[in-house]
Amino acid sequence: MASQVNQLHILLIPLMTQSHLIPFTDMAKLLARRGPTVTIVMTPLNSLRFQPFISEQTSKYRLKIQFLELPFPCRENGLPQGCENMDSLPSPDLAPNFFTACKFLQEPLEKWVREKMEFGEKPSCIISDFCLPWSENIAIKFNIPRFVFIGISVFSAVCNFKIVTSKVLERIKSDSDPFQIPDIPDEIYVTRGQLPHAKSQSTGESLNAIFNEFKASQLSADGILVNSFEELEPKYLNEYRNIKKKKIWSIGPVSYMSRDRGLDSINEHDNCSIKWLNERTKPGSVVYACFGSLSHFSSSQLKELATGLESSNHPFIWVIRKGDHYSIRRFEKWLEKENFEERVKERGLVFRGWAPQVSILNHPAVGGFLTHCGWNSTLDGVSAGLPMITWPMFAEQFHNENFIVKVLKIGVKVGVKETVENRRRDEGNDDDDQKGSPGFVTKEDIRKAIEDLMDEGDEGEERRRRAREVGEMANRTVGEGGSSFLNISLLIQHISEQSNNHQS
């Protein structure tokens, strides 16, 4: 059996955006640790970013992981040259162009598969991002088993399904009217303004057509992989299996092997954030604030966040994006003018660019996580056993907020009322008009949320106890004999059986 597994060749096809590439490369490590060869489709610029991390891991664990670099047709699809990652889109209006450009990866990928087949090396299976429906064509054309990887929470997938199929929105008159999500195990209320794509306007119809393609392509998949674990959302996994009528493997949290994630830090001992944390003597005293790769704040919101962190009187690490965007440039000038970093240096660190998130969250000095509620970050916080302050912005993040606060009961809401549509990165009037809007968060909101989360009374201690319990579950599930560990074994066994059945 071991020799048969070692002969498997798994082809991973991720969407070229950071929040999808990271779990795909994490998943590659988990699969390769069991023996198969894993090939990850990459574009040249993304390959440069991830190669050091993969090289380090393949050498350390002797993993058979390789990149397949394919050119990305930017200009042909109305994108700036070098725009190979959704994180670098100059405007959210270009999202449909980006998905169209992704379809052009199909032809060179088919050529690669055909060449492999000439040498008897056809991939044993394809695991594709659910956002890449054209991968279905390759699987059918070459008779290769195909599985779909879902990078969102099962809770949010079930909530979205129930909202759509119940037609509850037809009875809702206002974006701000709360309604209960029907037919789910917990009592959860949302508003229409908090739902995924609630703010899509100019790209609304195009995106809806794309999302319908996503759903349709899942129908022919041999199974679904989810970045979750059985103990985290058991009732929703059961419901999801009933909805999909397919084999579903929960294999998360896939980031577990990535405490030394290359994107985070190649040598964490030389990383300034880790050094700074090592100087904090009180365990659980630091708040870590990070908002992912796709979240964009106005400069006025950044100023509010800065003063909110400062006024909380708790030590903090705050990760802000690098970039030549108007709001960032304006905010950097404000930081310099206010002498902010010098003012807070004894208890605050502003970190620019990619921070070692997994390592930071697992540092004993960190006691809370201020997050945008992206699923990768949510799982990172869960795995570290930390309570969270929730600040959702778009996509399914309000669902994740409800999961953290209402279901797991390990979070405190900062108070955002509705989604904030990603703003154009080149606009120059992004500021004061946002103050007072449902998506704007004041420094008082931020200060209060931090104080509530870090509270040392009974309520705060109970929240921390639950967070620790969930973190311990996450650690057990990926260990030998844990549910996710066993599910990966069952998945590889299934791939081996399906590969034999699909031999042409």
Side-chain angles (χ1 to χ4, degrees), residues 67-338:
F67 284 172
L68 170 61
E69 285 191 24
L70 300 178
F72 195 73
C74 301
R75 288 180 176 172
E76 299 91 323
N77 292 282
L79 299 172
Q81 188 60 31
C83 186
E84 298 179 13
N85 191 304
M86 283 195 76
D87 301 26
S88 59
L89 286 178
S91 166
D93 294 344
L94 290 174
N97 302 59
F98 191 88
F99 284 114
T100 299
C102 289
K103 294 179 181 179
F104 283 81
L105 297 176
Q106 178 179 336
E107 185 176 341
L109 185 52
E110 285 186 1
K111 181 181 177 183
W112 178 83
V113 173
R114 195 176 294 111
E115 290 172 352
K116 285 290 180 183
M117 291 178 65
E118 291 175 358
F119 294 95
E121 300 176 4
K122 184 171 81 169
S124 308
C125 79
I126 291 171
I127 300 178
S128 68
D129 201 298
F130 78 101
C131 295
L132 300 175
W134 50 265
S135 61
E136 176 186 16
N137 302 330
I138 299 176
I140 293 172
K141 187 171 186 175
F142 297 105
N143 195 29
I144 302 173
R146 180 179 69 99
F147 303 86
V148 172
F149 179 76
I150 306 292
I152 63 174
S153 66
V154 174
F155 172 82
S156 66
V158 170
C159 287
N160 287 334
F161 178 84
K162 296 297 186 179
I163 290 170
V164 171
T165 55
S166 68
K167 298 184 178 180
V168 63
L169 290 179
E170 294 180 1
R171 303 190 295 273
I172 305 302
K173 296 180 180 180
S174 167
D175 281 357
S176 58
D177 288 342
F179 65 90
Q180 185 175 353
I181 301 177
D183 302 322
I184 63 172
D186 295 283
E187 186 175 316
I188 302 295
Y189 288 83
V190 295
T191 69
R192 187 165 59 194
Q194 295 173 345
L195 298 180
H197 322 301
K199 292 284 185 174
S200 295
Q201 297 173 358
S202 60
T203 60
E205 292 185 9
S206 299
L207 285 175
N208 283 334
I210 291 169
F211 297 141
N212 288 334
E213 289 182 18
F214 296 168
K215 295 175 187 175
S217 74
Q218 294 181 33
L219 298 176
S220 67
D222 291 272
I224 296 173
L225 280 59
V226 295
N227 188 12
S228 186
F229 55 99
E230 301 290 336
E231 299 87 346
L232 184 66
E233 38 186 348
K235 295 178 288 187
Y236 294 94
L237 272 163
N238 288 336
E239 184 63 30
Y240 196 54
R241 290 185 172 103
N242 291 333
I243 291 169
K244 291 297 184 180
K245 310 294 184 187
K246 285 184 180 294
K247 287 182 177 293
I248 294 174
W249 292 270
S250 55
I251 63 170
V254 296
S255 64
Y256 180 75
M257 266 188 66
S258 298
R259 305 241 172 144
D260 55 350
R261 179 183 287 163
L263 274 177
D264 291 341
S265 60
I266 291 181
N267 185 345
E268 69 177 30
H269 298 293
D270 292 332
N271 190 288
C272 68
S273 60
I274 301 300
K275 286 183 176 181
W276 187 87
L277 283 170
N278 288 339
E279 296 170 359
R280 305 304 109 184
T281 57
K282 184 178 179 180
S285 61
V286 177
V287 175
Y288 172 66
C290 183
F291 299 89
S293 58
L294 290 175
S295 302
H296 302 288
F297 285 124
S298 66
S299 57
S300 58
Q301 183 64 87
L302 288 168
K303 295 172 191 175
E304 208 77 8
L305 177 51
T307 51
L309 288 168
E310 181 181 19
S311 65
S312 73
N313 289 320
H314 284 276
F316 64 88
I317 292 182
W318 176 22
V319 181
I320 61 175
R321 293 177 58 104
K322 281 184 177 179
D324 189 32
H325 317 311
Y326 172 80
S327 60
I328 296 295
R329 293 197 307 270
R330 186 168 177 176
F331 178 63
E332 288 285 2
K333 290 179 181 177
W334 180 87
L335 285 176
E336 184 177 355
K337 177 184 176 183
E338 294 290 320

